[in-house]
Amino acid sequence: MSVPSNVRRFEALLYASLMLDAVSVAVQDRTPNAETTEQMIMTSTLLAGGMILLLVYFVRLAARGRKNWPRWVLAAALVLSVISLGQIIGEKGMELDSAIEIVSCVLTGMGLYFSFRGDAQGWFNA
């Protein structure tokens, strides 16, 4: 059976979003200071990378494995990302990594929209 067009859009948009997330992690300020040590920065970067890999697995599981629950996990991750992004922008203002994260959240939202509409509905409920 061929993959429906909305599922392909969902997959492409979420992979693009996760690629931007990886770029965002790469351009984050990693300068140690009194509050953050080098070890804390390294741990944070590794956790972000691991989370991105986990989300890539969820996208694949949803799009290719036809599982429904990963879509809901991805939707919950989007909600948490938007809340976190709002707090970061409120604290530090707009920076390059924040701008990248905004684009990433928009792409994720669009991808999730496609996953719940049209020909994608029957794909995940099978």
Side-chain angles (χ1 to χ4, degrees):
M1 181 176 203
S2 65
V3 178
S5 61
N6 278 356
V7 175
R8 285 194 308 267
R9 288 182 188 128
F10 157 75
E11 189 175 21
L13 287 168
L14 264 79
Y15 284 144
S17 169
L18 291 170
M19 181 194 65
L20 285 177
D21 287 341
V23 169
S24 175
V25 170
V27 299
Q28 280 179 345
D29 182 22
R30 291 195 186 99
T31 309
N33 56 31
E35 296 174 0
T36 55
T37 65
E38 286 183 26
Q39 187 175 16
M40 290 170 62
I41 293 169
M42 178 62 75
T43 303
S44 169
T45 303
L46 289 174
L47 283 174
M51 186 64 140
I52 290 170
L53 289 175
L54 181 65
L55 293 174
V56 165
Y57 175 68
F58 286 162
V59 171
R60 186 185 188 301
L61 200 59
R64 302 296 170 171
R66 301 180 73 169
K67 303 290 184 194
N68 190 32
W69 65 267
R71 287 190 306 166
W72 292 104
V73 172
L74 291 165
L78 174 62
V79 170
L80 293 175
S81 290
V82 169
I83 292 169
S84 171
L85 184 60
Q87 291 174 341
I88 290 171
I89 291 174
E91 248 178 52
K92 297 182 180 178
M94 187 64 106
E95 294 179 347
L96 177 61
D97 58 332
S98 301
I100 293 170
E101 284 296 323
I102 289 171
V103 174
S104 174
C105 286
V106 168
L107 288 175
T108 301
M110 289 171 48
L112 285 169
Y113 172 81
F114 283 121
S115 79
F116 286 98
R117 298 287 181 250
D119 57 2
Q121 288 177 336
W123 180 260
F124 295 106
N125 294 331

